[in-house]
Amino acid sequence: MMVLEKNIPYKIYLEESEMPTRWYNVRADMKKKPAPLLNPGTLQPMTLDELSGVFCRELAKQELDDTTPWMDIPEEILEFYRMYRPSPLVRAYFLEKALGTPAKIYYKFEGNNTSGSHKLNSAVAQAYYAKQQGLKGVTTETGAGQWGTALSMSCAFFDLDCKVYMVKVSYEQKPFRREVMRTYGADVTPSPSDKTNIGRKILEEFPGTNGSLGCAISEAVEDAVSHEGYRYVLGSVLSQVLLHQSIIGLETKAACDKYGIKPDVIIGCAGGGSNLGGLISPFMGEKLRGENDYRFIAVEPASCPSFTRGKYAYDFCDTGKVTPLAKMYTLGSGFMPSANHAGGLRYHGMSSVLSELYDQGLMEATSVEQSAVFEAAEQFARVEGILPAPESAHAIRVAIDEAMRCKETGEDKTILFGLTGTGYFDMVAYQKYNDGVMTDYIPTDEELARSMSECPKVD
Amino acid sequence: MMVLEKNIPYKIYLEESEMPTRWYNVRADMKKKPAPLLNPGTLQPMTLDELSGVFCRELAKQELDDTTPWMDIPEEILEFYRMYRPSPLVRAYFLEKALGTPAKIYYKFEGNNTSGSHKLNSAVAQAYYAKQQGLKGVTTETGAGQWGTALSMSCAFFDLDCKVYMVKVSYEQKPFRREVMRTYGADVTPSPSDKTNIGRKILEEFPGTNGSLGCAISEAVEDAVSHEGYRYVLGSVLSQVLLHQSIIGLETKAACDKYGIKPDVIIGCAGGGSNLGGLISPFMGEKLRGENDYRFIAVEPASCPSFTRGKYAYDFCDTGKVTPLAKMYTLGSGFMPSANHAGGLRYHGMSSVLSELYDQGLMEATSVEQSAVFEAAEQFARVEGILPAPESAHAIRVAIDEAMRCKETGEDKTILFGLTGTGYFDMVAYQKYNDGVMTDYIPTDEELARSMSECPKVD
């Protein structure tokens, strides 16, 4: 029988009165700020007016604001948050027991909503600001489909048009994700498509292409800027997204503070950085202000290793090179992870905020191979009862590894990780794992050098 | 902006200390008890020893006990419950607003776990008792797959073998459900199969059959009784299942009592009765004891209308006629819902407990057509943010209808319904609805008379 720690619930749900009502902007506490977005034509920092042609004005303001630490969450967004938040902070008692580790493991579980992930936290904010601005709708891209689903839900709620460019291979392999989006009224197009110039160009150049996130971004941006009353929205990478996702970390921090939990190490998977950035923000704030110290670990797939093998440079955010330039750890905007790579975390770049924090040595990064990731996913599912998304399982892998190191050393560290979502729409990948046919792939140095050589020369 | 009712949270999560620690057995408060299970050979009530050949002994005891009102939940099961319970009682503010109704609508949401439904509440109990008895494993059937998934999770947790006979058409159309079960280590066989005598016989008689729940039950029972160390477990219909599922109603009642909520009408979907029976149990207890009055409404599909068009008679629980006889509202054990019927709620019979309560006029029943059900599902998903299982959407349909009646009359009734699960594995059905090709089917009187004529003559 399990002995629960005195006075700490198995799952911590904050009371509604304890829920955060402000987002936290970690950039405000960074002495050296993340590099600004650049206009690719002039190589000058993007102005508010320039950005407002692509993004909603309020979101463009948030994107540029690196000095305001706290921003009030509008009441309508707080209402929506109440539909699926607070998310629980769970003590992984059963996992600890299975591992026989003295470590204490906690996870913040963001999967208990129909989008299946944390993406909803920013989707609702972006849809809200679009509605406030009187727009007709928004365009976006989606890969694995979590972001597209989250945005569809948010647009249905605020009665906005939602046009989703879905990476073609996902569109075909994940028809159920597509149907969830359609149920929420979204218009879903496989990308590349013949709806946009860039899509037609890519189809002409690569007729049989499976599509990529970078390419779908190009199409969504083109669609937005060429239609009156539409703007483009993005589910990760951007600083505004990290701002909205700070709700994850703020709830976690509030739960930790309430029960006297002090994490030694905080672990999150990293694709574009939305979950990791959101989870660590308030903890990183304390570290930046010298109030507390924490280890932070970004976990990325070995098949798409932007932090661990990319270069820190200005690059395009998309394949079609229509977006502003962002300074980030990047593998080059033409990089595409190997076809055997399952799930998300397939973006070529990384949040500028996290890139800068990593570059300053304030956080660590590691990469893991996918068969080891699914092994951790299965182990976790069987003892903790939650079938994790492949993305989230990257964090589980490293949390387990850390806990096993504690078993060796006898340390009773407190390990906290972000469980970003559920794997219900990823069963093709689980099937491969169950059938023993899942493979790993690590790109060669030559391959990465080639894709990174295409980054624009800025300095 | 939404005005939240004073002092009542949007979502009510009980504190861990407020969680029920006993199950409630509604049979104890019934003056006229449900009719006993009969041995089909002797037509005498099944004895504990007879039942223990099929079920775990402790579960057989629970099945026969119609006098003990409260039973302690074993500590190990309470621990498992803590992994995914309490489930929230949610005020459907956004649905109320969309409908413009003065009614107050609450739903108890059981879908926030990997099995995707309330089925886990009984699965863990049944797996626990099997483990306690020192068994190697259990066998069962599954249709839509929720029960099979729940049992797989529970067996993984207690390290038990789990053999699932999955209705063939579901096995083929829901490969992802199958993969979830495999991820939890279950052995999943499409039914009818050549693993059992009854399966081989059915395959010989109907070579191209899609299978049915009744047929899969026959196979699972045969497998259990012909292998040392195995017992059969069932996810609905049985009185032991209603006992375990009373956790739903007990939590709901505790939340209502804590915040002074008094439901006027309580609505649940009904296939075999596990969710409905669990949800209403403690409220029905008050009604039986004359302490309080409530309206209860069972909602079933028009294509499988056991309450509303079946007969109250002794019948087999399975197609192969290997189970005990149960007195219940039944369409005949050979009845199979039309092929266009999506989702669960396809069982030919109904819980003996609920059947007796219905026969005594203590609850109502109604049937709904599936296109109207999916219309309600879509509306609910868009405003409340949860994509419901088709089964659960039957209850949503009637809750909306009741709320609209309140709009006509101006009454501010309190409507409570059970949201049993999520529809993430039912997107084929949603796709049909999205594509406008979903159809309804109501069996003819002749069809039902024919299938009901096969019920055994007992009286």
Side-chain angles (χ1 to χ4, degrees):
Chain A
M1 204 182 309
M2 208 62 56
V3 180
L4 301 184
E5 197 158 346
K6 226 175 145 188
N7 301 326
I8 301 187
Y10 175 80
K11 288 198 299 286
I12 305 174
Y13 282 106
L14 294 178
E15 308 271 327
E16 280 178 15
S17 58
E18 298 165 333
M19 296 261 295
T21 57
R22 298 182 302 172
W23 289 309
Y24 169 65
N25 182 6
V26 71
R27 288 170 291 171
D29 282 312
M30 292 170 72
K31 278 188 201 95
K32 188 179 170 211
K33 306 289 184 190
L37 293 171
L38 298 187
N39 179 317
T42 63
L43 297 188
Q44 292 303 303
M46 291 288 287
T47 64
L48 178 59
D49 282 343
E50 284 173 336
L51 270 185
S52 301
V54 180
F55 301 129
C56 306
R57 196 160 182 92
E58 202 56 42
L59 292 166
K61 275 189 205 162
Q62 293 179 354
E63 192 64 31
L64 295 175
D65 187 340
D66 58 9
T67 55
T68 310
W70 295 97
M71 299 190 198
D72 285 339
I73 305 174
E75 189 55 42
E76 288 82 353
I77 298 175
L78 287 175
E79 274 181 4
F80 191 95
Y81 280 170
R82 273 195 290 263
M83 286 211 298
Y84 69 100
R85 307 199 68 82
S87 73
L89 179 67
V90 188
R91 174 76 179 268
Y93 281 110
F94 297 106
L95 180 61
E96 290 171 19
K97 189 181 168 192
L99 299 175
T101 176
K104 294 169 186 167
I105 309 176
Y106 290 87
Y107 56 92
K108 178 71 169 169
F109 178 41
E110 291 286 319
N112 269 349
N113 69 73
T114 290
S115 82
S117 82
H118 67 292
K119 296 276 180 175
L120 201 49
N121 301 329
S122 183
V124 59
Q126 298 194 44
Y128 166 76
Y129 289 117
K131 189 68 182 180
Q132 282 298 98
Q133 195 173 322
L135 297 178
K136 287 185 207 155
V138 292
T139 72
T140 199
E141 75 296 324
T142 200
Q146 293 178 336
W147 168 248
T149 308
L151 190 68
S152 304
M153 292 173 67
S154 305
C155 286
F157 190 80
F158 288 116
D159 195 21
L160 280 170
D161 254 20
C162 181
K163 299 197 226 176
V164 180
Y165 288 86
M166 185 170 189
V167 177
K168 197 176 179 183
V169 60
S170 293
Y171 183 90
E172 284 161 1
Q173 287 183 359
K174 299 198 172 189
F176 296 165
R177 274 272 186 221
R178 185 184 75 207
E179 287 308 319
V180 178
M181 290 185 254
R182 285 184 71 207
T183 302
Y184 282 94
D187 174 37
V188 188
T189 303
S191 166
S193 76
D194 60 6
K195 284 191 180 173
T196 65
N197 291 326
I198 184 76
R200 284 187 291 270
K201 192 174 151 224
I202 291 169
L203 280 175
E204 209 170 297
E205 251 177 274
F206 310 98
T209 179
N210 280 329
S212 73
L213 216 46
C215 161
I217 295 178
S218 304
E219 288 206 84
V221 171
E222 183 186 321
D223 188 330
V225 298
S226 56
H227 288 92
E228 183 71 26
Y230 284 82
R231 288 295 185 282
Y232 167 72
V233 297
L234 178 63
S236 190
V237 186
L238 297 172
S239 301
Q240 60 185 268
V241 175
L242 263 67
L243 174 72
H244 308 147
Q245 295 294 359
S246 69
I247 190 81
I248 306 173
L250 291 165
E251 276 187 16
T252 306
K253 186 85 178 48
C256 285
D257 289 349
K258 181 172 177 179
Y259 290 102
I261 300 159
K262 163 77 171 60
D264 296 295
V265 52
I266 304 177
I267 299 164
C269 62
S274 67
N275 149 67
L276 179 70
L279 174 64
I280 69 174
S281 275
F283 299 96
M284 181 62 85
E286 289 193 335
K287 183 164 177 163
L288 288 165
R289 296 188 302 269
E291 297 164 5
N292 242 321
D293 196 20
Y294 304 94
R295 266 184 81 201
F296 302 103
I297 309 177
V299 188
E300 56 186 17
S303 53
C304 190
S306 40
F307 265 137
T308 50
R309 297 176 68 200
K311 67 174 181 179
Y312 192 32
Y314 266 105
D315 197 5
F316 286 98
C317 300
D318 67 326
T319 310
K321 304 187 177 178
V322 302
T323 63
L325 298 175
K327 189 171 178 191
M328 56 186 177
Y329 279 84
T330 179
L331 301 167
S333 67
F335 177 81
M336 281 179 57
S338 141
N340 78 329
H341 173 77
L345 310 182
R346 42 173 64 242
Y347 188 63
H348 67 275
M350 183 57 67
S351 146
S352 289
V353 176
L354 293 183
S355 292
E356 182 56 33
L357 291 167
Y358 180 62
D359 195 58
Q360 292 179 28
L362 290 159
M363 53 180 276
E364 305 164 31
T366 187
S367 74
V368 289
E369 295 184 43
Q370 76 175 353
S371 52
V373 165
F374 275 83
E375 191 189 332
E378 186 194 78
Q379 181 173 20
F380 182 82
R382 291 190 182 188
V383 297
E384 289 287 325
I386 296 170
L387 188 83
E391 298 82 18
S392 324
H394 286 70
I396 298 174
R397 172 74 276 161
V398 172
I400 290 176
D401 293 345
E402 286 290 322
M404 292 310 286
R405 253 188 293 280
C406 288
K407 188 175 180 176
E408 279 168 32
T409 62
E411 290 170 290
D412 62 345
K413 284 189 185 165
T414 297
I415 298 168
L416 166 68
F417 71 91
L419 189 71
T420 57
T422 51
Y424 308 145
F425 291 91
D426 301 284
M427 294 318 297
V428 169
Y430 273 96
Q431 183 166 9
K432 277 188 190 149
Y433 180 75
N434 292 336
D435 289 342
V437 297
M438 177 156 274
T439 53
D440 292 318
Y441 180 78
I442 302 181
T444 62
D445 288 341
E446 293 69 33
E447 201 179 331
L448 293 182
R450 198 164 47 242
S451 66
M452 287 190 287
S453 72
E454 288 172 25
C455 291
K457 305 280 171 285
V458 171
D459 307 311
Chain B
M1 205 183 306
M2 210 60 58
V3 181
L4 300 184
E5 197 157 345
K6 227 177 143 186
N7 302 326
I8 302 187
Y10 176 80
K11 288 199 299 287
I12 305 173
Y13 283 105
L14 294 178
E15 308 271 326
E16 281 179 14
S17 59
E18 299 165 331
M19 297 262 296
T21 57
R22 298 182 301 172
W23 290 309
Y24 168 65
N25 182 7
V26 72
R27 289 170 291 170
D29 282 312
M30 292 171 71
K31 278 187 202 99
K32 187 178 170 211
K33 305 289 183 191
L37 293 171
L38 298 187
N39 179 318
T42 64
L43 298 187
Q44 292 302 305
M46 292 287 288
T47 64
L48 178 60
D49 281 344
E50 284 172 337
L51 270 185
S52 300
V54 181
F55 301 129
C56 305
R57 196 161 182 92
E58 203 55 43
L59 292 166
K61 272 190 206 162
Q62 293 179 353
E63 192 63 32
L64 294 175
D65 186 340
D66 57 10
T67 55
T68 309
W70 295 97
M71 299 190 196
D72 286 340
I73 305 174
E75 190 55 42
E76 289 81 354
I77 298 174
L78 287 175
E79 273 180 5
F80 192 94
Y81 279 171
R82 273 195 290 264
M83 285 211 296
Y84 68 100
R85 307 199 67 83
S87 72
L89 179 67
V90 187
R91 173 77 178 267
Y93 282 109
F94 296 106
L95 180 62
E96 291 171 20
K97 190 180 169 192
L99 299 176
T101 176
K104 294 169 185 167
I105 308 176
Y106 290 88
Y107 56 91
K108 178 70 168 170
F109 180 41
E110 291 287 319
N112 271 350
N113 68 74
T114 290
S115 82
S117 82
H118 66 292
K119 298 275 181 175
L120 201 48
N121 301 329
S122 183
V124 59
Q126 298 194 45
Y128 166 76
Y129 289 117
K131 189 68 182 180
Q132 282 297 98
Q133 194 173 322
L135 297 178
K136 288 184 206 154
V138 291
T139 72
T140 200
E141 76 295 326
T142 201
Q146 292 178 335
W147 168 248
T149 309
L151 190 68
S152 304
M153 291 173 67
S154 306
C155 286
F157 190 80
F158 288 116
D159 196 20
L160 280 170
D161 255 19
C162 181
K163 301 197 224 175
V164 181
Y165 288 86
M166 186 171 189
V167 177
K168 197 176 181 184
V169 60
S170 292
Y171 183 89
E172 284 162 1
Q173 287 184 358
K174 299 199 171 188
F176 295 165
R177 273 275 184 218
R178 185 183 74 207
E179 287 309 319
V180 178
M181 291 185 254
R182 286 183 70 205
T183 302
Y184 282 95
D187 174 35
V188 189
T189 304
S191 165
S193 77
D194 59 6
K195 284 191 181 172
T196 65
N197 291 328
I198 185 75
R200 285 186 291 270
K201 193 174 150 225
I202 291 171
L203 279 175
E204 210 169 295
E205 250 177 274
F206 310 97
T209 180
N210 280 329
S212 74
L213 214 47
C215 161
I217 294 177
S218 304
E219 288 205 82
V221 171
E222 183 186 321
D223 188 330
V225 298
S226 56
H227 288 93
E228 184 72 26
Y230 284 82
R231 288 295 184 285
Y232 167 71
V233 298
L234 178 63
S236 191
V237 185
L238 296 172
S239 302
Q240 61 186 266
V241 175
L242 263 67
L243 174 71
H244 307 146
Q245 293 294 358
S246 69
I247 190 81
I248 306 173
L250 292 165
E251 276 187 18
T252 306
K253 187 85 178 49
C256 284
D257 290 349
K258 181 172 178 180
Y259 290 102
I261 300 160
K262 163 76 172 58
D264 297 296
V265 52
I266 304 177
I267 299 164
C269 62
S274 67
N275 150 68
L276 179 70
L279 175 64
I280 71 174
S281 274
F283 298 95
M284 182 62 86
E286 289 193 335
K287 184 164 176 164
L288 288 165
R289 296 188 303 269
E291 297 164 6
N292 242 322
D293 196 20
Y294 304 94
R295 266 183 81 201
F296 302 103
I297 308 177
V299 189
E300 57 187 16
S303 53
C304 190
S306 40
F307 265 138
T308 51
R309 296 176 68 198
K311 67 175 181 179
Y312 190 34
Y314 266 105
D315 197 5
F316 286 98
C317 300
D318 68 326
T319 309
K321 305 186 176 178
V322 303
T323 64
L325 298 175
K327 189 170 178 194
M328 57 186 175
Y329 278 84
T330 178
L331 300 168
S333 68
F335 178 82
M336 280 178 59
S338 142
N340 79 327
H341 174 79
L345 310 182
R346 44 173 63 243
Y347 187 63
H348 67 275
M350 182 57 65
S351 146
S352 289
V353 176
L354 293 183
S355 292
E356 181 56 33
L357 292 167
Y358 180 63
D359 195 58
Q360 292 179 28
L362 290 159
M363 54 179 278
E364 305 164 32
T366 188
S367 75
V368 288
E369 295 184 43
Q370 75 176 355
S371 52
V373 164
F374 276 82
E375 192 189 331
E378 186 195 78
Q379 180 174 19
F380 183 82
R382 290 189 181 187
V383 297
E384 288 287 326
I386 296 170
L387 188 83
E391 298 81 16
S392 326
H394 286 71
I396 299 175
R397 173 74 275 161
V398 172
I400 289 177
D401 293 345
E402 286 291 321
M404 292 310 285
R405 252 188 292 280
C406 288
K407 188 175 179 178
E408 279 168 31
T409 61
E411 289 170 291
D412 63 344
K413 283 188 186 166
T414 297
I415 299 168
L416 166 68
F417 71 91
L419 189 72
T420 57
T422 50
Y424 308 145
F425 291 92
D426 300 284
M427 295 317 296
V428 170
Y430 273 96
Q431 183 166 8
K432 278 189 190 150
Y433 180 75
N434 292 335
D435 289 343
V437 297
M438 177 156 274
T439 53
D440 293 319
Y441 180 77
I442 302 181
T444 63
D445 288 341
E446 293 69 35
E447 201 178 332
L448 293 183
R450 198 163 48 242
S451 66
M452 288 190 286
S453 72
E454 288 172 24
C455 292
K457 305 281 169 287
V458 171
D459 307 311

